[in-house]
Amino acid sequence: MDHAADANRTDLMTITRYVLNEQSKRPESRGDFTILLSHIVLGCKFVCSAVNKAGLAKLIGLAGETNVQGEEQKKLDVLSNEVFINAFLSSGRTCILVSEEDEEATFVDPALRGKYCVVFDPLDGSSNIDCGVSIGTIFGIYMVKDFNNITLNDVLQPGKNMVAAGYCMYGSSCTLVLSTGSGVNGFTLDPSLGEFILTHPDIKIPKKGKIYSVNEGNAKNWDSPTAKYVDKCKFPTDGSSPKSLRYIGSMVADVHRTLLYGGIFMYPGDKKSPDGKLRVLYEVFPMSYLIEQAGGQAFTGKIRALDLIPQKIHDRSPVFLGSYDDVEDIKAIYTAHEKTA
Ligand code: FDP
């Protein structure tokens, strides 16, 4: 991108303009997705503003307490959930909502129903809130199978059936990364305009990276393929340089870096938690969808991550995602391990 020319740009590709352009390529489209997306964008702006003000407004960790005005204050994750639930309901374009914050799925009132099912984590990486590290919202969107017979099975679908996925990262800038099934684009919030502007068009993940990202504190419980792979990252035997370790512990931030710089992000299963930690519907699927759309791969240790069929809305799965060649390496280690088992 030519930054000098950019400084004076007057013809900005906002996210709404981008989606309307995409919509015009599909004559059958009635604009429902554009409307849903505009509500997601509003939710992201709201949460971004709340995250930025968190220290100031004393929102952090104060659920159940009252502020100087005597108003009840909410924790950021509770607030974010309410913001997005309200945004989805008022869009009139959703029928089932699955949130990380809610034990049960929400079936939207028939009067407000639309054809989309949204699975989302309103504020992922919440253990990082108190120290100001980047956190984010993750979402995936399915189309309902039969509008007249809406059931939980409409969200218990493999990730490859999603029609769109994305995340919004609340960091040093606020970045919304979106795929509607034909590539990945990144939009950065211009606070002076209040608009998300296309800043990262057609993101492609490097074919191979120099970074591995994993919580090494869990190493004692890893299975042997994960341990072997990480050992290979540190002590390569093919003459290449060792990979660098980067782990923020906030999935949106770790995946965002992986998408832009390449490498591999892993949350493996281990002896203590065979299914790992990350949730299939609103962490593993949307991120795997974006990574595949950018030319990378996502693997569970057994199969392509997007082929998983969740049995319950809060199911977990191990995941290894990132640059094509790096994921290929760990797949080969798992395959060799299976043959000797
Ligand atoms: P958090 O617990 O802070 O909400 O699944 C949530 C998540 O963060 C991810 O964002 C992150 O990648 C992962 O957990 C970090 O887990 P560990 O602390 O076990 O490494």
Side-chain angles (χ1 to χ4, degrees):
M1 190 173 280
D2 180 348
H3 290 282
D6 256 18
N8 293 317
R9 265 195 337 175
T10 52
D11 187 21
L12 300 173
M13 180 61 79
T14 64
I15 192 163
T16 312
R17 179 175 165 193
Y18 174 84
V19 174
L20 282 170
N21 281 354
E22 290 298 297
Q23 184 190 315
S24 66
K25 293 178 196 161
R26 295 181 206 149
E28 75 287 358
S29 170
R30 290 173 38 237
D32 289 328
F33 183 77
T34 309
I35 291 170
L36 174 59
L37 188 77
S38 72
H39 284 251
I40 294 178
V41 164
L42 177 67
C44 294
K45 288 182 195 169
F46 191 138
V47 174
C48 177
S49 153
V51 168
N52 288 339
K53 285 193 297 217
L56 257 180
K58 298 217 181 313
L59 280 164
I60 295 168
L62 290 179
E65 295 192 13
T66 48
N67 65 12
V68 277
Q69 282 88 29
E71 293 160 354
E72 174 104 343
Q73 295 187 344
K74 292 191 175 81
K75 271 192 175 177
L76 274 176
D77 42 8
V78 178
L79 176 79
S80 307
N81 192 40
E82 279 185 29
V83 165
F84 278 102
I85 294 269
N86 286 330
F88 293 135
L89 293 179
S90 62
S91 76
R93 299 299 182 279
T94 61
C95 52
I96 307 180
L97 306 175
V98 171
S99 165
E100 193 266 349
E101 286 287 321
D102 298 325
E103 209 165 305
E104 305 288 340
T106 302
F107 284 77
V108 178
D109 189 284
L112 287 175
R113 266 182 199 170
K115 62 186 173 192
Y116 292 109
C117 314
V118 187
V119 292
F120 65 107
D121 188 343
L123 203 57
D124 190 76
S126 44
S127 64
N128 289 292
I129 294 175
D130 290 3
C131 60
V133 165
S134 299
I135 46 183
T137 299
I138 309 175
F139 58 90
I141 302 174
Y142 291 106
M143 182 94 82
V144 72
K145 286 177 183 158
D146 174 2
F147 190 70
N148 297 314
N149 181 27
I150 296 165
T151 71
L152 206 53
N153 284 333
D154 287 305
V155 287
L156 297 175
Q157 299 193 52
K160 64 184 173 196
N161 292 357
M162 284 183 169
V163 294
Y167 61 80
C168 185
M169 186 175 71
Y170 313 110
S172 51
S173 56
C174 178
T175 307
L176 203 160
V177 174
L178 175 72
S179 176
T180 53
S182 50
V184 181
N185 289 285
F187 303 82
T188 305
L189 182 64
D190 180 334
S192 60
L193 297 174
E195 290 278 4
F196 280 98
I197 310 294
L198 180 63
T199 47
H200 297 72
D202 197 19
I203 298 172
K204 296 279 179 241
I205 185 169
K207 189 145 184 290
K208 192 169 179 65
K210 297 181 180 145
I211 297 173
Y212 73 102
S213 184
V214 67
N215 184 344
E216 286 222 49
N218 295 330
K220 115 176 145 76
N221 291 317
W222 284 347
D223 62 14
S224 99
T226 303
K228 250 189 209 162
Y229 178 76
V230 171
D231 201 56
K232 210 180 144 206
C233 290
K234 297 185 203 180
F235 306 101
T237 49
D238 59 358
S240 61
S241 303
K243 289 189 191 299
S244 294
L245 168 64
R246 298 280 184 274
Y247 188 70
I248 299 167
S250 173
M251 190 188 195
V252 174
D254 280 314
V255 171
H256 188 64
R257 182 201 56 249
T258 306
L259 195 61
L260 297 186
Y261 294 174
I264 187 162
F265 167 82
M266 308 177 247
Y267 209 110
D270 62 30
K271 280 181 214 135
K272 259 174 63 193
S273 318
D275 291 332
K277 176 180 185 188
L278 301 179
R279 312 295 185 137
V280 172
L281 272 182
Y282 40 79
E283 292 183 309
V284 173
F285 277 175
M287 294 312 203
S288 300
Y289 186 94
L290 290 164
I291 289 284
E292 278 200 7
Q293 284 290 324
Q297 299 196 69
F299 175 61
T300 65
K302 291 194 175 93
I303 58 169
R304 174 189 176 208
L306 291 179
D307 282 341
L308 272 176
I309 304 175
Q311 303 301 307
K312 298 203 194 83
I313 59 173
H314 297 296
D315 274 3
R316 301 171 198 263
S317 167
V319 71
F320 304 84
L321 58 81
S323 292
Y324 193 94
D325 287 355
D326 293 318
V327 178
E328 206 56 18
D329 282 349
I330 191 140
K331 281 165 77 177
I333 295 176
Y334 267 99
T335 308
H337 178 75
E338 258 168 43
K339 282 186 187 148
T340 56

